[in-house]
């Protein structure tokens, strides 16, 4: 496996950067640059690149969609959130519409934010493309068809011209898919969700979103530590603070940055990537959460350092 | 983890000593559970001066204690956080859901004048 590319990183529903948000960023950038002069565009770019991410960038607003570049020509994608549209457009732009491709699409669960991008997935409309949907929910196909039924959507699932197949993956087992070893794990979430551990060429990526960790059962932590074991990257649902996750938002099916660090340390994973961001958090709040998480890792470190990042739409991680 | 307690009026000050990790948190929960169930205890102050570290498991015990105490309109507070534990409270946002005081006396003053008087007299 070569790389992970994030097309959608927000939880629950898409969010957009607003005009006041853009204005605040411009003001912050100008304030920081007051009194400077720029002799060239390159100098401006260097200045912008040195600004804090919350000023010069944005975590973005699409719901869950993560591409794993395996090194093979076939595409591998986790979840069909609103980021799937951008991924599909990029894939079509790369190959052209007349050059059929194969897409392996792994679905964590069928809550709306994880499937809402499918009706806008361009490659599904193109004859010759092959789409494989993988999941451990028996109702996966029915859920994908239902969201395109009237009166919720103007065209139904039958307008897709690609060759489409659904593949049920038994939880708790490893499967060989697209040259990868894929292990599926059931997670605590309303209606269940499933995490995926992808292994290929000595590299391991764990995609574990919409997963609540209660710590009521010590065996549960051990099981997740085994699932994350020595992963190169763990893409982890860190939607809430720990205080929220175990109080007012207990049983909402999500986890926290603190638990992400602890499980990854237990598993001796190399890289924790915070994911499924709370829509109410702006770029400053998410940047603060990332810094705090990195500090928590530092405070609690007993072995090798765990790298901690926060996913944003457009982020690429090289494996 | 060793856990000792002292009673001032109707408030119990619980003083754990050691890391509130997976192992230590079990001892903490065992010590706290009888107290949060006692109707005559109207307040709990957790003196964390002897706790250098608390994990999510330990924080979960505090949340259970808070829920139990608040369910019967009793108070709970934390005092004397060491620097690292204070950072963990802030990062986990527990400082937003639990009352945190610099020292035990301040916590008692906020919870019960009777307990404070007993503490000052001790």
């Amino acid at each position: 496996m070569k790389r992970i590319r994030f097309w959608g990183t927000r939880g629950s529903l898409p969010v957009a950067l607003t005009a006041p948000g853009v204005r605040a960023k411009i003001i912050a950038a100008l304030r920081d640059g007051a009194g400077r002069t720029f002799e060239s565009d390159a100098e401006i770019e260097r200045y912008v690149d040195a600004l804090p991410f919350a000023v010069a960038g944005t975590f973005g607003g699409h719901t869950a969609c993560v591409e794993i570049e395996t090194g093979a020509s076939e595409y591998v994608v986790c979840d069909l959130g609103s980021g799937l549209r951008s991924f599909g457009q990029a894939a079509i732009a790369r190959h052209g519409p007349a050059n059929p491709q194969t897409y392996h699409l792994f679905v964590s669960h069928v809550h709306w934010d994880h499937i809402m991008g499918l009706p806008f997935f361009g490659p599904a409309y193109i004859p010759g493309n092959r789409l494989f949907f993988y999941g451990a929910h028996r109702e996966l196909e029915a859920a994908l068809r239902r969201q395109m039924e009237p009166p919720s959507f103007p065209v139904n699932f039958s307008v897709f011209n690609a060759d489409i197949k659904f593949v049920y993956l038994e939880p708790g087992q490893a499967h060989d898919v697209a040259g990868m070893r894929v292990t599926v794990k059931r997670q605590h979430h309303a209606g269940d969700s499933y995490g995926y551990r992808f292994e290929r060429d000595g590299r391991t990526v764990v995609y574990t979103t919409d997963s609540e960790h209660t710590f009521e059962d010590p065996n549960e932590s051990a099981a997740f530590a085994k699932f994350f074991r020595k992963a190169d990257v763990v893409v982890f649902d860190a939607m809430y603070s720990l205080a929220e996750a175990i109080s007012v938002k207990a049983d909402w099916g999500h986890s926290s940055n603190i638990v992400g660090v602890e499980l990854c340390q237990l598993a001796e994973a190399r890289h924790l990537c915070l994911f499924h961001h709370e829509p109410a958090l702006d770029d400053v709040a998410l940047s603060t959460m990332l810094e705090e998480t990195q500090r928590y890792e530092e405070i609690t470190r007993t072995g090798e350092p765990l790298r901690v990042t926060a996913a944003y739409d457009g982020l690429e991680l090289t494996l | 983890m060793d856990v000792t307690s002292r009673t001032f009026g109707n408030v119990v000050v619980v003083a754990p000593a050691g890391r509130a990790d997976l192992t230590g948190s079990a001892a903490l929960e065992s010590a706290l559970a009888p107290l949060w169930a006692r109707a005559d205890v109207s307040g709990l102050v957790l003196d964390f001066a002897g706790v250098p570290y608390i994990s999510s498991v330990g924080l979960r015990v505090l949340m259970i204690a808070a829920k139990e105490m608040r369910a019967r309109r009793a108070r709970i507070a934390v005092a004397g956080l060491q620097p690292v534990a204070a950072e963990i409270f802030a990062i986990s946002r527990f400082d937003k859901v639990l009352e945190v005081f610099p020292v035990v006396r301040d916590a008692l003053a906020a919870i019960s004048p009777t307990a404070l008087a007993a503490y000052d007299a001790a």
Side-chain angles (χ1 to χ4, degrees):
Chain A
M1 288 189 284
K2 305 286 186 191
R3 181 170 296 110
I4 304 173
R5 194 173 286 115
F6 292 87
W7 296 93
T9 57
R10 192 65 69 159
S12 299
L13 81 164
V15 296
L17 190 58
T18 60
V22 173
R23 185 172 182 273
K25 288 175 188 288
I26 293 172
I27 289 171
L30 291 174
R31 185 186 298 121
D32 191 67
R36 293 183 188 221
T37 55
F38 300 99
E39 302 298 330
S40 65
D41 284 353
E43 210 169 305
I44 293 172
E45 286 184 24
R46 276 196 296 277
Y47 166 70
V48 170
D49 289 344
L51 289 169
F53 183 78
V55 174
T58 185
F59 285 88
H62 279 306
T63 61
C65 183
V66 179
E67 177 190 359
I68 300 174
E69 207 175 286
T70 67
S73 61
E74 299 182 344
Y75 286 101
V76 172
V77 172
C78 295
D79 274 337
L80 319 173
S82 65
L84 187 69
R85 178 186 172 281
S86 309
F87 163 71
Q89 295 308 113
I92 291 170
R94 197 176 305 155
H95 302 287
N99 189 1
Q101 303 297 317
T102 299
Y103 298 86
H104 300 278
L105 305 160
F106 293 83
V107 183
S108 65
H109 64 310
V110 294
H111 283 169
W112 195 25
D113 52 323
H114 292 257
I115 62 172
M116 61 168 52
L118 181 60
F120 304 93
F121 184 46
Y125 292 86
I126 298 173
N129 280 337
R130 299 195 308 159
L131 273 58
F132 293 90
F133 292 97
Y134 303 90
H137 290 85
R138 296 288 186 186
E139 66 271 30
L140 173 59
E141 180 174 356
L144 297 185
R145 288 181 178 276
R146 188 178 58 191
Q147 74 167 342
M148 296 177 71
E149 286 176 357
S152 300
F153 203 71
V155 295
N156 65 30
F157 200 86
S158 66
V159 300
F160 288 154
N161 291 313
D163 180 20
I164 293 174
K165 288 189 169 52
F166 287 86
V167 181
Y168 174 78
L169 298 178
E170 188 72 36
Q173 293 184 14
H175 308 265
D176 292 324
V177 180
M180 304 177 296
R181 186 174 176 82
V182 183
T183 307
V184 185
K185 181 162 182 21
R186 190 167 72 86
Q187 305 175 138
H188 184 58
H189 192 76
D192 291 339
S193 70
Y194 293 89
Y196 296 97
R197 179 185 172 97
F198 301 96
E199 296 171 90
R200 179 184 164 127
D201 303 331
R203 292 282 183 272
T204 300
V205 173
V206 174
Y207 179 76
T208 172
T209 192
D210 297 64
S211 176
E212 184 168 355
H213 300 272
T214 63
F215 287 95
E216 287 170 5
D217 177 6
N219 295 326
E220 180 190 296
S221 300
F224 274 96
K226 182 181 176 190
F227 188 57
F228 296 0
R229 186 77 187 151
K230 292 191 182 292
D232 292 284
V233 179
V234 177
V235 180
F236 187 87
D237 171 0
M239 191 168 185
Y240 303 136
S241 68
L242 180 66
E244 288 175 312
I246 64 177
S247 60
V248 291
K249 293 176 181 174
D251 295 325
W252 287 24
H254 297 285
S255 191
S256 68
N257 54 342
I258 295 268
V259 171
V261 168
E262 291 183 357
L263 284 175
C264 283
Q265 287 174 333
L266 197 60
E268 298 181 60
R270 294 178 180 84
H271 183 168
L272 165 66
C273 186
L274 308 175
F275 183 71
H276 204 271
H277 305 310
E278 158 66 67
L281 297 182
D282 62 15
D283 292 320
V284 172
L286 288 172
S287 294
T288 301
M289 184 189 74
L290 172 60
E291 289 171 11
E292 290 176 334
T293 312
Q294 290 166 335
R295 173 61 182 153
Y296 186 71
E297 186 280 331
E298 191 177 40
I299 291 171
T300 56
R301 186 186 303 158
T302 55
E304 290 294 310
L306 168 70
R307 182 183 172 199
V308 180
T309 55
Y312 58 85
D313 294 11
L315 172 66
E316 290 188 10
L317 298 175
T318 301
L319 294 169
Chain B
M1 168 178 280
D2 294 323
V3 184
T4 57
S5 63
R6 294 174 295 163
T7 301
F8 301 100
N10 48 6
V11 176
V12 179
V13 176
V14 178
R19 289 169 63 86
D21 51 16
L22 186 62
T23 310
S25 298
L28 181 61
E29 185 166 4
S30 297
L32 291 178
L35 296 172
W36 71 53
R38 265 174 51 189
D40 63 316
V41 175
S42 64
L44 269 182
V45 174
L46 302 172
D47 179 2
F48 262 46
V51 179
Y53 166 77
I54 183 165
S55 72
S56 64
V57 181
L59 290 167
R60 180 177 165 272
V61 171
L62 300 192
M63 187 61 78
I64 294 169
K67 284 179 183 173
E68 294 288 340
M69 294 295 284
R70 288 168 183 163
R72 56 181 182 81
R73 299 184 184 284
R75 298 275 296 271
I76 184 167
V78 180
L81 286 173
Q82 292 189 24
V84 167
E87 271 196 88
I88 294 171
F89 264 63
I91 293 169
S92 65
R93 305 289 184 266
F94 264 67
D95 60 347
K96 308 284 190 229
V97 297
L98 287 177
E99 290 185 276
V100 178
F101 296 91
V103 293
V104 169
R105 190 178 186 282
D106 291 349
L108 291 172
I111 288 178
S112 164
T114 309
L116 177 63
Y119 179 82
D120 285 340

